[in-house]
Every structure is written in structure tokens, then in C-alpha cells.
Amino acid sequence: MQPTTQTQNFLNFINGKWSQSDSSEVIESTNPANPAETVGYVQSSTKQDLEQAVESSKNAQKKWKKLSGAERGNLLFKAAEVLENNIEDIAETMTREMGKTLPEAKGETNRGVAILRYYAGEGMRSEGDVIPSTDSSALMFSKRVPLGVVGVITPWNFPVAIPLWKMAPALIYGNAVILKPASEAAVTAAKVIECFEKAGLPEGVVNFVTGKGSVIGQGLAEHKDVTAVTFTGSNATGNHIGQTVAARGGKYQLEMGGKNPLIVADDCDLDLAVDAAISGGLKSTGQKCTCSSRVIVQEGIYDQFKQKLLEKVNEITVGDGLKEQSWMGPCATKSQYENVQKYIEIGQKEGAKLIYGGSPVDNDTNGYYLEPTIFDQVETSMAIAQEEIFGPVLALMKVRTVEEAIELANDVEFGLSASIFSKNIDHILSFIDDIEAGLVRINSETAGVELQAPFGGMKASSSYSREQGEAAKEFFTTYKTVFLKG
Ligand SMILES: NC(=O)C1=CN([C@@H]2O[C@H](COP(=O)(O)OP(=O)(O)OC[C@H]3O[C@@H](n4cnc5c(N)ncnc54)[C@H](OP(=O)(O)O)[C@@H]3O)[C@@H](O)[C@H]2O)C=CC1
Ligand SMILES: O=C(O)CCC(=O)C(=O)O
């Protein structure tokens, strides 16, 4: 049944129109700080809805790709302006829908504006190369061309930035897109789509279909007319999508988990390292694929580091992300909340020593709040050292040397981000050389992605393709090699 209060009912956006799903069913999105509060309803769409979106995207893309890059860019500049004018509302919706604090939500929305502007500018940049031919009377050049229709499947942890860093490059290079956002953050995503509508993108160039991952996400992965699928989320879902798209000869890009190490060397600036462990590990309630979940500390500084870390973590205020005093909000969903608690239990059973937190935080609204949690004496064989927890949990590990630290850092299936705190250039250089990670950070936290640089991981963290910056061009375009003779 569709809800009666229209202000809370968010529709699909297909062929330039907001429309109800064929199913007449909706999915409720609630506030993790107060699960009794409904943030909105989105459509529980069907394969027929998706079919309409694909048809509309296919038609629209034929005209969209004929516009000049500058014309497409102007529309993205407009979308950026509309988003910028709606920052307050969109950021507040994000906080209410997935829990991150309002300053973080505003920061993310501002980042969305910058992403749109960056890719709008790409419309005026080179789209190929002249290549000398062996025939001196011929002109040979490569020309980048769009792929066609791109399916965008996104998670709930960055409901503005991730859809935009996938959609903006797809659009500027002449593709049409269909966004299927995570159900838990789909209201925020709907508000982003409203910005594209208000910017006046031609109908069908951006479509938005909400619904179950197993129906709409799976439908995008299977559809023969969806040339490429870009995904961020869990490894299980990502690998399944990759296999499905590959089986029909489509192109795919997967950004998945991380178990990111932060190495603290004896010679580091201790205060900076402590701040980085807290910010990188606990901001966004630890729900970033780039968050620092393993803190590997050299024995000479271990006790000092641990003591300072405990002092600083003790200052953290957990609470509703809309309240100014809250530094850390709730877990985004009930299943995240339960999953993190399950890992805290496993850690204790495995023999790690719980030295801080580990429990739910009492509150009047039944919000999914957990204490920031620190484990000591963590061994690399433990599940809490190997598996992505996606919650406010730090695992401390002691090593003798920096070489040992790097070896330990690499001893996981993931390879997204890694950082070292050290003033020793030899340590820094061997870290850059030997660490198995796509993002290598020195004297800086593991999280913190810059939109103009390639983003992605090694090993099980990614499908080896890269997003953002100019690297996005590789995924969202293909080449024509033109040989021209008079
Ligand atoms: N790398 C990252 O940034 C992220 C990692 N994660 C990891 O994943 C864990 C689980 O989170 P969860 O939200 O379930 O992540 P998922 O990977 O299941 O969800 C990500 C997206 O994929 C969609 N999806 C789900 N099933 C399918 C399918 N069969 N085919 C196509 N698309 C599908 C989801 O839709 P729907 O929401 O409707 O299910 C959502 O849009 C977290 O605990 C964390 O460890 C989660 C989010 C981000
Ligand atoms: O750290 C960031 O800013 C981005 C992290 C990210 O892409 C993710 O968590 O999915």
C-alpha cells in the first residue's frame, strides 16, 4: 500500500517523471537514532518498472551522447548549483536516515557538489589521442565513446557522494544511468535525483528505481541492455554482481570491503597517530570501507599509545547525529547494530582483551547506539582482525619492527587503504613499496578520499578498476580507433 502522506512518499524517476511502482508496495526507511520515526517510504519496484527505466535510458542515451561535452557539463554545473542550494535539507535527511552526524553529512553533500563540478569540467577536456600511422597519408586517432546504459548500485554509508561519484562521470562521458540506491538510504538518494530533475537534464538520461537488491540490483546485473554496472557494497553481493554481469559479457566495476591497517612506528608523532586512529576508525561510527580497523603499534610506543587512545576515546560523545554535542551517531541499521555486537562477542571468545566499550548505549529512543570499542592483544588469526566489522571497533596489535608491521598489515584478504605514522624515511619508503593497498597514506588517517585522484583497492577490495579522478574515464568509456584516409 502507498502511504497517504505524500510528503513522505518517494517515487521512482523514470523517463523524466516521478511514478509509483507497478507493485503498489513501498519500503519504509527509518531513523536509526529513533527507529520509531519514519523518514520516508520508497517504491518496492518490480522488474517491469526496471524494464521501463532501461527502455527510457536506451532511447535517451542516443540523443544525450550527441550533445557536446560542454553542453552536458553545463547541465552538471546546474545540478551542482541545485545540490548546493539544498545542502541543509539533504544533509539533515542523510543524518536522519543513516545516522552520521550533521557536520559529516554536510561535508559529504559539499563533496557531492565538488564531484559534480569536477566532472562538469571534464566535458571540455581531451577525449582521445592522435596516433602516428605507418601510412604517412593517413590520420589515425583514438576517440573515447560512451558505453550506453550504466547501472549504478550503491550502499547506504555515503548516500550522496557514492551515487554522485559514479553518476557524474557516467553522464559527462555520454552514458545514461539508472540508479538503484541502498534501500536504507533511498530517501536521501531521491533528493539527489530531484537536483538532476531541477537542473533540467533531458528525460530518461537519469532514471531512479528503488527496491530490493535481489530484484532491482539483480535485474540491472542481468539485463542485456545495461552495458555496464558499477557497484559499491559488500564482497558477497559485489562478487555475485560481477559474476552475473561477466556471464552476459557486460562490463563491471566493484568497490567492496576493507580491513585497513594503521601502523604506528616508535618514531611517530604520538598525538597525530592517536587522533588518526580515532578519526579514521570511529568517524561515521566506523562505517567506511576506508576506516582504520586494525591499529598495529610498535612495542616501544605501545603502552603510551594505548593510554592516550583510551583517554581520548573517553571524550567521545555518542548520540543523535542531529545534536551538536554528538561526535558519533548510531549504527545505520538494526542489522549493522546486531552484526557489530556479534563481532564484539566473537572477539572476546577468541581471547582478545576488551579494554574499552563493547556495549550498547542506553537511550530513550531505542536508537542503535554502541560505545566506541577497543580490543587489545588481538592476533592476526582472529576474526576481528580479518573480517570487515563496519562498526566502531578498533583492534590493537603489537609488533617489534616496522617490517613485521607491514607483514601483518598485508596478512588479510583486503587491500583498500593503509597508513603509517613515522618520521623515518626508510620506514616510509618501504611502506610505500611493500604495502598491499590501493590507497597508501603517510602520517594521515586511512579514510579521506580526494575526488580528483584514483580510488580503489587491491586484492579482494576491488575488481582492480579504479573510480574517481581521471581514472573514471577508463570505466565509463570505451575507444574507437579511427583510421582516416582521403
Ligand atoms: N564497501 C563499502 O563501502 C560497504 C560495505 N558494506 C559491507 O557490507 C555489509 C552488509 O551491508 P549491506 O547493506 O547488506 O550491503 P550489500 O552489498 O548487500 O548492499 C549494497 C547494495 O547492493 C544491493 N544489493 C543487495 N543484494 C543484491 C543483489 N543480489 N544483486 C544486486 N544488488 C544487490 C543493495 O540493495 P538493498 O539495500 O535493497 O539490499 C544495495 O543497494 C556491511 O556490514 C559492510 O561490511 C556495506 C556498505 C558499504
Ligand atoms: O573514505 C571515504 O571518503 C570513502 C569511503 C568509501 O568509499 C566507502 O566507505 O564506501
Side-chain angles (χ1 to χ4, degrees):
M1 274 244 313
Q2 300 284 332
T4 44
T5 47
Q6 291 307 307
T7 48
Q8 279 192 312
N9 189 18
F10 292 83
L11 304 179
N12 287 331
F13 189 64
I14 298 177
N15 207 29
K17 288 178 196 61
W18 294 95
S19 54
Q20 276 187 12
S21 161
D22 267 3
S23 73
S24 300
E25 297 295 322
V26 290
I27 299 172
E28 185 187 14
S29 181
T30 55
N31 181 348
N34 176 7
E37 180 195 322
T38 302
V39 178
Y41 298 89
V42 296
Q43 304 299 297
S44 180
S45 306
T46 62
K47 286 266 166 79
Q48 284 86 332
D49 299 317
L50 181 60
E51 203 51 52
Q52 286 172 21
V54 174
E55 208 41 46
S56 138
S57 302
K58 260 170 64 182
N59 291 333
Q61 197 261 337
K62 288 181 195 142
K63 286 195 194 145
W64 179 244
K65 72 172 186 185
K66 299 259 187 221
L67 296 184
S68 67
E71 286 169 313
R72 289 196 293 267
N74 281 338
L75 289 164
L76 292 195
F77 277 124
K78 275 198 195 143
E81 195 184 317
V82 181
L83 181 62
E84 197 166 39
N85 292 336
N86 286 279
I87 279 180
E88 297 294 327
D89 175 49
I90 292 178
E92 191 187 312
T93 306
M94 190 191 309
T95 297
R96 286 176 57 225
E97 198 174 26
M98 55 70 64
K100 76 173 60 166
T101 63
L102 194 56
E104 286 182 277
K106 281 188 189 164
E108 182 184 335
T109 313
N110 264 314
R111 180 166 153 192
V113 173
I115 290 167
L116 281 165
R117 293 201 169 124
Y118 174 85
Y119 283 108
E122 271 293 286
M124 298 285 274
R125 297 198 187 97
S126 161
E127 55 176 19
D129 295 305
V130 174
I131 301 154
S133 167
T134 49
D135 181 340
S136 60
S137 65
L139 170 65
M140 187 162 71
F141 60 93
S142 64
K143 179 176 163 53
R144 284 187 184 268
V145 292
L147 301 172
V149 177
V150 174
V152 174
I153 304 175
T154 53
W156 41 261
N157 62 337
F158 284 89
V160 170
I162 294 181
L164 285 176
W165 83 48
K166 293 173 183 294
M167 291 172 68
L171 290 169
I172 196 68
Y173 301 128
N175 303 284
V177 303
I178 302 170
L179 172 64
K180 187 286 188 237
S183 300
E184 289 95 347
V187 171
T188 310
K191 293 193 173 188
V192 173
I193 297 298
E194 285 172 357
C195 298
F196 284 105
E197 181 198 20
K198 288 186 186 135
L201 266 79
E203 60 190 34
V205 168
V206 168
N207 286 301
F208 173 72
V209 184
T210 55
K212 289 188 186 133
S214 56
V215 178
I216 303 304
Q218 178 73 18
L220 281 170
E222 285 172 355
H223 205 296
K224 67 174 178 32
D225 292 332
V226 177
T227 322
V229 174
T230 170
F231 166 87
T232 300
S234 67
N235 280 65
T237 304
N239 289 330
H240 171 71
I241 290 174
Q243 284 161 17
T244 308
V245 180
R248 63 171 174 83
K251 192 173 183 184
Y252 65 88
Q253 175 186 57
L254 312 171
E255 281 309 328
M256 302 176 286
K259 192 73 195 172
N260 311 296
L262 181 146
I263 296 176
V264 182
D266 280 348
D267 56 53
C268 74
D269 179 322
L270 184 62
D271 289 325
L272 281 186
V274 169
D275 286 349
I278 291 175
S279 174
L282 303 174
K283 277 263 173 204
S284 284
T285 321
Q287 299 169 128
K288 296 184 190 177
C289 58
T290 49
C291 81
S292 324
S293 42
R294 293 178 298 148
V295 185
I296 303 173
V297 189
Q298 232 183 319
E299 59 187 7
I301 204 170
Y302 194 89
D303 291 337
Q304 263 174 290
F305 177 86
K306 188 165 79 179
Q307 195 193 328
K308 272 219 157 157
L309 181 69
L310 289 169
E311 277 164 24
K312 285 254 174 148
V313 167
N314 200 34
E315 291 167 11
I316 290 178
T317 43
V318 180
D320 186 339
L322 288 179
K323 296 202 172 129
E324 213 178 312
Q325 70 271 24
S326 303
W327 187 91
M328 192 173 96
C331 298
T333 65
K334 186 161 187 262
S335 77
Q336 282 301 125
Y337 177 64
E338 289 170 351
N339 202 36
V340 178
Q341 289 180 78
K342 187 194 81 188
Y343 273 110
I344 293 172
E345 229 179 277
I346 292 175
Q348 286 169 287
K349 281 197 187 127
E350 283 177 318
K353 191 170 167 201
L354 184 64
I355 55 167
Y356 195 92
S359 302
V361 176
D362 267 349
N363 66 98
D364 295 340
T365 51
N366 298 317
Y368 305 137
Y369 298 108
L370 284 179
E371 293 172 325
T373 296
I374 304 175
F375 276 107
D376 194 6
Q377 296 172 15
V378 176
E379 301 290 333
T380 188
S381 57
M382 295 176 180
I384 59 165
Q386 291 293 327
E387 295 171 23
E388 184 174 51
I389 300 177
F390 231 56
V393 181
L394 293 174
L396 300 189
M397 304 167 94
K398 195 192 281 187
V399 287
R400 273 170 293 118
T401 62
V402 167
E403 291 70 35
E404 199 188 318
I406 296 174
E407 210 171 296
L408 200 61
N410 287 336
D411 185 30
V412 289
E413 64 169 322
F414 300 108
L416 186 56
S417 183
S419 63
I420 189 168
F421 278 75
S422 172
K423 288 182 189 151
N424 178 317
I425 189 68
D426 291 333
H427 290 156
I428 291 171
L429 289 175
S430 51
F431 178 74
I432 295 172
D433 261 4
D434 297 334
I435 194 73
E436 295 164 0
L439 301 175
V440 178
R441 308 192 32 106
I442 293 103
N443 296 320
S444 186
E445 66 178 74
T446 56
V449 168
E450 299 223 19
L451 61 100
Q452 71 280 22
F455 170 61
M458 294 183 175
K459 304 191 321 198
S461 290
S462 300
S463 52
Y464 281 91
S465 49
R466 292 288 181 264
E467 301 192 273
Q468 306 198 62
E470 279 198 47
K473 212 184 239 184
E474 296 306 325
F475 183 71
F476 292 108
T477 64
T478 187
Y479 278 115
K480 281 184 178 170
T481 304
V482 182
F483 182 82
L484 177 86
K485 217 165 140 62

